[in-house]
Amino acid sequence: MHMRATVAAVSGALALSALVVPAAQAADAPSGKAAFSAATADGTAGTAATLDVTFSDMKVNSGKNIVVGTTNVVSVPVTYTLTHPADMDTSSDNFASGPLIYKGSSVDTASNVLISDDPATCTATSSTTLSCKGVINIRPADGDLASSEAGTWNAGGLAVTSNGDSKTQGGLGTTLVQRYSKLTVNAGPEPVAKGKTITSTGKLSRANWDDNQYHGYTNQPVKLQFRKAGTSTYTTVKTVYSDSYGNVKATATAAYDGYWRFSFAGTSTTPAVNATGDYVDVQ
């Protein structure tokens, strides 16, 4: 189950306490998948042993930043290697594992943990190693993220057995979780006489995960760029800053037919974005 975890949920439901399977399920000897589902949901306190397994070589989103808007579910692929004792039963009936990402210095003290909905698919590559692929689905419309949490997250993994033994491991790398950005431009007048002033206006905005709306990104450097008709490369003309509403405005002298756009280089919390070029005919 996908969850937004508090510190208590991490130390309890995630790591150990939620691994207790309801009596009816326990009587039916739950599979590894059922145990994984129980481990990622709220539960009652219980006791379980720590598994002798190790996660390594974890790669989140193929090494790319995770960019999240306000409504669309973002599916983040994760691959990793899991090492286990040769005599451990890692069949799907007994064992399951999956990836997680967390905001904070450790899984135990994290302010937020996002876990894969389902166990990863794993293939044995030796008697002691599994090569695994999982997916973490991020649902901004369901409150999975707060805007203050944009930036660096850490990666980790969770492994469980059908009898409730578990292993939660953090510190397996980092990834950037960013607020989706938008940038517009409108250049004019159209057409314009050669040597006259062209004024470009636009707005830089980004996703707000607290209210699921887009708001202006203020006081950010934005480049005004021009691409001459018949060419493929934009050249920076000047740099301006977005105002308190995210609005941007820049002027330039009309010399050639071509496309005007704004370009934002991005920050750790917000990805780079280019406006679609606006064509102006110079006469």
Side-chain angles (χ1 to χ4, degrees), residues 133-207:
K133 297 180 180 179
V135 175
I136 299 173
N137 290 312
I138 302 177
R139 301 176 174 87
D142 293 342
D144 281 354
L145 298 167
S147 292
S148 61
E149 294 170 340
T152 301
W153 285 57
N154 294 289
L158 169 67
V160 296
T161 62
S162 57
N163 63 7
D165 295 341
S166 71
K167 171 71 175 288
T168 304
Q169 182 180 338
L172 296 171
T174 61
T175 185
L176 283 182
V177 181
Q178 297 180 307
R179 298 162 62 175
Y180 189 93
S181 56
K182 296 180 179 181
L183 185 56
T184 62
V185 68
N186 183 30
E190 304 175 59
V192 64
K194 187 172 184 178
K196 296 296 183 179
T197 297
I198 292 177
T199 300
S200 297
T201 58
K203 184 171 184 175
L204 174 65
S205 59
R206 60 177 179 165

Side-chain angles (χ1 to χ4, degrees), residues 2 12 20 28 44 46 48 68 71-72 77 81-82 100 110 115 134 159 166 206 208 213 217 225 246 262:
H2 192 75
V20 176
D28 294 331
T44 56
V68 183
T71 56
N72 292 340
T81 298
L82 193 144
L100 58 87
I115 310 171
S166 71
R206 60 177 179 165
N208 185 308
Q213 302 293 323
Y217 196 9
Q225 298 183 328
F262 286 119

Side-chain angles (χ1 to χ4, degrees), residues 101-137:
I101 58 174
Y102 60 95
K103 184 67 175 180
S105 58
S106 72
V107 182
D108 290 338
T109 61
S111 61
N112 193 358
V113 179
L114 300 178
I115 310 171
S116 55
D117 296 343
D118 298 303
T121 300
C122 296
T123 302
T125 53
S126 76
S127 61
T128 59
T129 57
L130 299 173
S131 177
C132 302
K133 297 180 180 179
V135 175
I136 299 173
N137 290 312

